[in-house]
Amino acid sequence: MIVASGKRLGRLLIQAGVVSEEQLDAALESATDGRSLTASLDEMGYASETTVAQTIAGQMGLAFIDLSNYDIDPNAAASLSSDFARRYWVLPVKVEDDELTVAMSDPANIFAIDDLRIVTGYEIKPVVAVESELRSAIDKFSASQHDVDDMMGDLEDIAVDDDVSEAEIEDEDAPVAKLMNLIITEGIRQGAGDIYMEPHEHELRIRFRVDGVCQEVFRSPRRMQRQLVSRLKIASGMDIAEKRTPQDGRFGVVLDGKSVDFRVAVLPIVHGELAVLRLLRKDSIMMSLEDLGFLEQPLQRLLDALALPYGAILVTGPTGSGKSTTLYAAINRTADVSTNLITVEDPVEYRLQGLSQVQVHERAGLTFAAALRSILRQDPDTVMVGEVRDAETGTIAIEAALTGHLVLSTLHTNDAPSAVTRLTEMGIEPFLTASAITCVLAQRLCRRLCPDCKEAYTPDEEALKRVGFPFKPGKLPKLYRAAGCTRCNDIGYRGRMGIHEVLTMSETLEHMTVDNASADDIKHQAVAEGMRTLRDDGFEKVSMGLTSIEEIMRVVV
């Protein structure tokens, strides 16, 4: 079978001029020990694996895919047993309607395609992949499926045996360890921002927050909860014996070559202990401002403020709106070896190399205000304050901005104009606020429509008027809405982006701030000076086909 298949591929390579008859014969002879023709050609230096795969794809009129960068659908990969995948070295990568896309290194193997059609019940769409990458992907998915099978086989033991020692919980081969590893692994691979382990009266519920929306993953007997939380406490450095008070901790893992930190909070509730894991991906905070979904005008306004050597830039929005990511993206733009940049945070979520980061410790007296006072004696060029929580912190930050420092911080308000009045309400003198603030950015995170299944439609005119969507009378725009497919788990959305509102302080706005103008008056003036509101920014992204009206109305007040 190997020789026959190799000859078929060899003819294609000769026709394309990649190898000669002599080279093919030598490679086929070398392949008789069980190695494939592709591996032999690569080892003998006649043709690389990538060249062979791309040539085969071109000769047969098939697509070539780079598995190292391809988003493989786990549901598709799970549709085939590992034994079958290894028999023919094939891997399903995508399922759509009645068609299964299958990565192959030898698409000329018609026996494999016929068997795939019979086993899966799908019409088979072959695509070509590099053989070594295909083998590696099959091994990875097979190992993952093996772990799932082992864990499911042990669930009954976990549920029944409620008296487990601490040593057994710490054992890496224990069923509870396997289940915890599975939950964490799936959370990372599904792109969860938070993992919830919620005990109820008769069961334990596991949920992932993906793209800002909670999704239930599975339910299990409530007896598992105690062991899972104990395992989590051990990993996070908490007191395993303390079950009456809230505790916080953190731990880190490396999966698929990427480092992920987990910030863990455990809270006693009626039926046990609620555990919430916040996933902190270091690659997410190494993004540039251009990657965050800014439109050109608001981005330029923010960049102009960041270019100044002084002044305060505030980022506002509710919890989970991406404020920290935006601040770190701003830091990435301003930080270099010629500047002294110090942060004070509570907690320090992302620990970065080459950056001086201060962790607030209120019990020890290290508050935001105390840390900020000390930081200003370190002669910083740029200071990031995690959050302006009180008048003392706000006043010191504002005064630092007035004395030649660039200050970046966050504030909890619904929009950018409200940040100006909120500082006054906190007790900070309006004339200080007016002079120090150069820019206020308000933001939200909205879900992106899945590019594989988003559905075009013509909206109803009355519906557009009701939400205030701009359009020319008699000329309805073409918009898109969520549909749902296997790539997005039938949700219709995949990934998130920011929507932004950037207020830059003008002379008129400074005077209005000193005169204690209302947030509404400041907003009207800022809009007159060119500020795009959050809703305007969101509707522009709806017009671009990036998201839906329903999603913008969900996240914007």
Side-chain angles (χ1 to χ4, degrees):
M1 180 70 72
I2 292 175
V3 173
S5 175
K7 288 181 177 179
R8 285 195 299 269
L9 293 181
R11 284 196 294 269
L12 293 175
L13 297 173
I14 290 174
Q15 290 170 10
V18 173
V19 297
S20 65
E21 288 275 4
E22 294 76 14
Q23 290 173 333
L24 175 62
D25 290 340
L28 284 172
E29 185 177 347
S30 175
T32 55
D33 61 356
R35 287 181 302 168
S36 67
L37 172 64
T38 301
S40 294
L41 289 171
D42 186 63
E43 288 177 12
M44 299 174 77
Y46 296 150
S48 70
E49 284 189 298
T50 302
T51 299
V52 170
Q54 291 175 339
T55 301
I56 292 170
Q59 289 292 100
M60 297 187 66
L62 302 175
F64 168 79
I65 63 171
D66 179 4
L67 282 180
S68 62
N69 294 314
Y70 191 86
D71 186 13
I72 299 172
D73 181 356
N75 294 323
S79 66
L80 204 63
S81 71
S82 59
D83 289 340
F84 190 100
R86 287 194 175 95
R87 185 190 312 163
Y88 293 117
W89 291 111
V90 295
L91 180 67
V93 295
K94 181 180 179 181
V95 59
E96 200 165 33
D97 297 327
D98 295 326
E99 186 177 73
L100 185 68
T101 301
V102 180
M104 309 176 69
S105 61
D106 181 9
N109 191 339
I110 57 175
F111 300 105
I113 294 175
D114 286 343
D115 285 355
L116 279 166
R117 188 180 294 112
I118 294 169
V119 169
T120 64
Y122 288 102
E123 284 300 313
I124 304 301
K125 177 185 176 181
V127 295
V128 186
V130 173
E131 183 176 299
S132 60
E133 292 180 0
L134 180 61
R135 290 174 181 258
S136 177
I138 291 171
D139 289 342
K140 184 182 77 171
F141 276 97
S142 296
S144 176
Q145 187 60 46
H146 180 71
D147 289 344
V148 172
D149 292 341
D150 284 351
M151 185 277 296
M152 294 303 293
D154 289 330
L155 277 183
E156 288 188 15
D157 296 334
I158 299 175
V160 173
D161 186 8
D162 193 38
D163 186 20
V164 179
S165 68
E166 183 173 334
E168 290 176 298
I169 293 173
E170 291 187 38
D171 183 4
E172 290 297 327
D173 293 324
V176 66
K178 293 179 181 178
L179 178 57
M180 177 64 73
N181 292 341
L182 178 70
I183 292 171
I184 289 172
T185 300
E186 285 303 304
I188 295 173
R189 288 184 173 154
Q190 291 188 30
D194 299 280
I195 298 175
Y196 300 87
M197 299 181 185
E198 305 166 307
H200 295 278
E201 185 175 2
H202 301 296
E203 60 193 1
L204 173 68
R205 181 172 68 175
I206 306 295
R207 292 193 296 167
F208 294 164
R209 184 182 292 277
V210 181
D211 293 336
V213 178
C214 287
Q215 303 172 12
E216 184 173 311
V217 182
F218 69 87
R219 293 172 182 251
S220 62
R222 193 169 75 88
R223 287 197 184 103
M224 294 171 56
Q225 185 265 342
R226 185 184 69 83
Q227 297 170 42
L228 280 173
V229 172
S230 295
R231 173 80 185 177
L232 195 58
K233 287 180 176 178
I234 291 170
S236 307
M238 301 183 197
D239 182 357
I240 190 174
E242 180 55 69
K243 297 179 174 62
R244 298 167 298 174
T245 60
Q247 295 189 69
D248 297 306
R250 65 188 301 149
F251 65 93
V253 301
V254 176
L255 181 68
D256 298 334
K258 295 182 179 179
S259 176
V260 182
D261 286 339
F262 286 80
R263 198 178 77 202
V264 184
V266 175
L267 176 68
I269 60 175
V270 173
H271 297 297
E273 293 178 280
L274 168 65
V276 180
L277 292 75
R278 167 68 57 90
L279 281 72
L280 306 171
R281 295 172 174 82
K282 292 186 178 179
D283 55 350
S284 70
I285 50 109
M286 299 312 293
M287 299 171 69
S288 67
L289 289 170
E290 289 80 3
D291 296 328
L292 300 180
F294 278 92
L295 295 177
E296 184 178 352
Q297 190 249 29
L299 176 60
Q300 191 56 53
R301 285 182 156 218
L302 179 59
L303 292 178
D304 290 343
L306 285 170
L308 297 173
Y310 57 86
I313 299 175
L314 300 179
V315 182
T316 77
T319 300
S321 59
K323 298 187 298 295
S324 295
T325 301
T326 300
L327 278 181
Y328 279 111
I331 285 174
N332 290 337
R333 177 172 287 272
T334 59
D336 58 51
V337 294
S338 65
T339 61
N340 182 17
L341 195 156
I342 307 177
T343 76
V344 51
E345 307 166 67
D346 184 24
V348 175
E349 292 187 336
Y350 300 98
R351 299 174 182 178
L352 304 180
Q353 282 291 112
L355 194 65
S356 300
Q357 296 173 277
V358 179
Q359 166 74 57
V360 166
H361 196 309
E362 295 197 359
R363 289 184 181 177
L366 186 59
T367 62
F368 272 113
L372 193 50
R373 281 196 203 93
S374 180
I375 285 172
L376 294 177
R377 291 193 288 270
Q378 307 293 323
D379 191 26
D381 299 293
T382 304
V383 179
M384 189 193 92
V385 184
E387 182 183 350
V388 174
R389 294 181 178 176
D390 51 55
E392 185 180 15
T393 304
T395 300
I396 298 170
I398 291 295
E399 289 176 348
L402 289 171
T403 54
H405 304 88
L406 180 62
V407 178
L408 310 175
S409 190
T410 69
L411 197 63
H412 286 280
T413 62
N414 287 329
D415 57 16
S418 297
V420 178
T421 56
R422 174 64 57 84
L423 293 175
T424 302
E425 291 167 1
M426 290 172 64
I428 299 171
E429 293 292 342
F431 70 89
L432 293 176
T433 299
S435 301
I437 289 181
T438 56
C439 173
V440 182
L441 163 66
Q443 70 177 53
R444 300 289 189 278
L445 290 178
C446 71
R447 294 179 292 175
R448 289 179 181 268
L449 285 168
C450 174
D452 294 316
C453 67
K454 65 180 182 180
E455 181 179 84
Y457 75 104
T458 302
D460 180 70
E461 186 171 338
E462 286 302 315
L464 294 181
K465 289 180 179 178
R466 191 161 54 248
V467 300
F469 191 91
F471 68 97
K472 294 180 180 179
K475 189 176 181 180
L476 295 175
K478 176 185 176 182
L479 303 180
Y480 291 85
R481 60 190 170 196
C485 67
T486 55
R487 295 294 296 278
C488 61
N489 293 324
D490 290 320
I491 296 172
Y493 297 93
R494 197 164 84 239
R496 286 193 292 178
M497 64 181 173
I499 53 177
H500 307 95
E501 173 180 286
V502 181
L503 178 151
T504 52
M505 191 66 74
S506 66
E507 188 174 341
T508 302
L509 290 174
E510 286 183 18
H511 289 311
M512 293 179 70
T513 301
V514 173
D515 293 338
N516 287 317
S518 68
D520 285 340
D521 290 340
I522 292 175
K523 180 176 181 177
H524 291 148
Q525 179 60 32
V527 169
E529 294 179 1
M531 183 186 80
R532 300 171 63 93
T533 65
L534 285 167
R535 185 171 294 194
D536 292 339
D537 193 79
F539 283 162
E540 178 66 23
K541 285 162 184 172
V542 171
S543 299
M544 295 166 65
L546 300 175
T547 189
S548 66
I549 287 181
E550 293 78 11
E551 181 66 7
I552 296 303
M553 299 309 295
R554 182 181 73 87
V555 300
V556 177
V557 177

